[in-house]
Amino acid sequence: MFLKTAARYHIGVLLDLHASPGAQNPDSHSGTGSGKVLMWEGSNRTAATFALHVLLSQIIKYDNIVGVELLNEPNDKPWLPDWYADTLNDLRGISPDIPLYVADAWHSEKYAPWAGARADCVIVDQHLYRCFTEEDRKKWGDQHAAELRQGKAAFQDLTKQCRGNFIIGEFSAALGGQPPGSDAGEHDRQRRVFAKAELELFEESCGGWFFWTLKKQEGWDAGWSLKNATQAEIMPAYVGRRKGQVPDDGKREQAKNDALGGYRFAFLGKGRNNDICSFSETYQLLEGENDQE
């Protein structure tokens, strides 16, 4: 199971109900692809609560579960707060203290004080993008960065309203607009300025953040792929680790050489002439050795 694999690498896992019965928003990632929001029709809302109940009851035994988020990017319907409250109360019957996350439905100013009024640990999740709306596409990185810096006080106020339980569950370095006539180098500079402003804001003003996404299936994309963004130095190299834990290059090289040295030593006398074996060859060698024992 992937939770056990993550635990071996000391990775905490936050799970969510990404696609609810009937769909919680009209987008394709809500699961149906119909463009209709039917979560609130018939028994769908009850089924969504039941799905989360079963999910939490099955995963609560794993120490590396850092929380469960009730929905991904739901439309802000009038009955959403009541469904949130009912579902949170249901899940508290399984665990009184596991962090439970609620999406802000694009209205943090509404859900931050709502979560802050609860006695239990409820975290508000905001997704921050500046590339989808027509207004955002008329601006570029310098302008978006300036607006983020100017809005820091309001952002920090949201965090205070929910007692510090406020995160950015998704963000990227993607931009919808670029200066007219600019080249690829300038495009990267704009992304770099924007990403720097995002990180400064998040580090100073909220409880945590998640870049969307680690990598894409194909093609280079320094706006959406964290791997490409760090390679292009749009996102800093420490992302994915704490700033103080970036390994010293010399020590890392020495550790690699020591590991390879031990690897070679392990295969002395096995007819390999100290060569580095492929994984499949190594497995066959070890399997044969175990069989002999």
Side-chain angles (χ1 to χ4, degrees), residues 136-293:
D136 285 340
R137 286 193 286 268
K138 293 176 182 177
K139 304 172 184 177
W140 42 88
D142 288 325
Q143 295 165 295
H144 286 306
E147 290 178 357
L148 289 176
R149 289 190 290 267
Q150 292 165 6
K152 183 170 73 170
F155 203 85
Q156 291 175 332
D157 188 55
L158 291 172
T159 298
K160 291 177 183 177
Q161 289 180 44
C162 52
R163 309 195 311 274
N165 295 330
F166 186 77
I167 68 160
I168 300 300
E170 290 184 21
F171 78 103
S172 75
L175 294 169
Q178 290 285 2
S182 58
D183 59 14
E186 175 62 14
H187 292 181
D188 278 354
R189 189 195 72 79
Q190 292 287 341
R191 294 190 189 100
R192 194 171 294 118
V193 168
F194 174 52
K196 183 175 184 291
E198 288 181 299
L199 290 177
E200 289 175 349
L201 177 65
F202 304 159
E203 288 284 337
E204 294 179 17
S205 308
C206 68
W209 43 266
F210 299 76
F211 189 96
W212 185 268
T213 185
L214 176 62
K215 61 181 180 179
K216 296 181 69 174
Q217 288 179 305
E218 57 185 27
W220 173 274
D221 192 334
W224 289 101
S225 164
L226 179 59
K227 288 193 171 185
N228 293 159
T230 52
Q231 289 169 336
E233 298 182 343
I234 290 166
M235 292 290 289
Y238 73 78
V239 171
R241 311 185 187 103
R242 297 306 304 159
K243 290 182 182 179
Q245 296 179 336
V246 179
D248 175 85
D249 286 343
K251 292 181 179 179
R252 181 166 49 195
E253 190 67 20
Q254 183 61 49
K256 183 185 75 173
N257 291 336
D258 290 343
L260 288 175
Y263 186 94
R264 292 188 180 98
F265 180 80
F267 289 95
L268 279 173
K270 298 189 186 299
R272 303 301 304 175
N273 297 320
N274 296 347
D275 291 337
I276 300 299
C277 310
S278 67
F279 176 83
S280 58
E281 290 175 308
T282 302
Y283 182 83
Q284 290 170 1
L285 284 168
L286 292 175
E287 187 177 42
E289 184 173 281
N290 291 335
D291 289 343
Q292 292 174 5
E293 293 175 353

Side-chain angles (χ1 to χ4, degrees), residues 8 20 60 90-91 118 219 277:
R8 287 202 302 270
S20 73
I60 193 64
D90 177 88
L91 298 181
R118 291 184 59 93
C277 310

